[in-house]
Amino acid sequence: MSGASTDRATAALCVEFASPMPGLSPHTAFTLEQIDGAEGLHALRATDADVRLFLLDPLSGDYGYEPTIPAEVRAQIGAADDSEIHVFVVANPSADGVYINLRAPILIHAASGRAVQAILEDQRYPIRALLGG
């Protein structure tokens, strides 16, 4: 993930997934908007349905998150290297805090908006990690 930019435009970004994310089929077209007053937190909304996910920019805090993005995953979104990719993790609010999925990041090509949810083989990244835990 080295070199990935933390700069985020304030306008909504159009995002098109190469294939539907697990549990969100058939939706592939989304908009991504930063949530005002919540550094690093974004809303990913389907353009054709009332479907929303919260995404966290792991570079917005000290999470020690530096996944290795496989070349075949970069190729799915047309990225030559990691510097062309914005990396996000899904954030799930619950009664006992906010959990993030570090094993299945959302990868968005910075220039085209083409996206994929990758499933990492790296076992050091949990599927359900409590923020601040």
Side-chain angles (χ1 to χ4, degrees):
M1 187 174 85
S2 63
S5 173
T6 59
D7 294 334
R8 301 283 186 240
T10 56
L13 173 67
C14 293
V15 176
E16 181 71 32
F17 280 82
S19 61
M21 289 183 288
L24 295 182
S25 185
H27 310 292
T28 58
F30 292 81
T31 58
L32 180 71
E33 297 180 45
Q34 182 159 349
I35 296 175
D36 290 335
E39 170 126 15
L41 190 61
H42 297 73
L44 183 71
R45 290 183 168 84
T47 59
D48 60 351
D50 188 20
V51 174
R52 177 190 68 196
L53 290 175
F54 291 109
L55 302 183
L56 178 69
D57 175 353
L59 296 180
S60 67
D62 186 20
Y63 302 109
Y65 188 62
E66 294 187 14
T68 300
I69 301 170
E72 61 271 11
V73 172
R74 285 194 312 271
Q76 287 180 22
I77 60 173
D81 59 53
D82 291 358
S83 69
E84 298 178 7
I85 299 172
H86 291 306
V87 177
F88 295 93
V89 294
V90 175
N92 294 304
S94 71
D96 56 334
V98 176
Y99 288 88
I100 55 176
N101 181 344
L102 298 174
R103 182 88 47 86
I106 305 291
L107 309 171
I108 302 173
H109 188 279
S112 71
R114 187 88 168 139
V116 67
Q117 183 173 25
I119 308 299
L120 304 176
E121 293 181 21
D122 192 337
Q123 298 294 311
R124 68 186 162 136
Y125 293 123
I127 292 171
R128 189 169 155 88
L130 181 62
L131 274 181

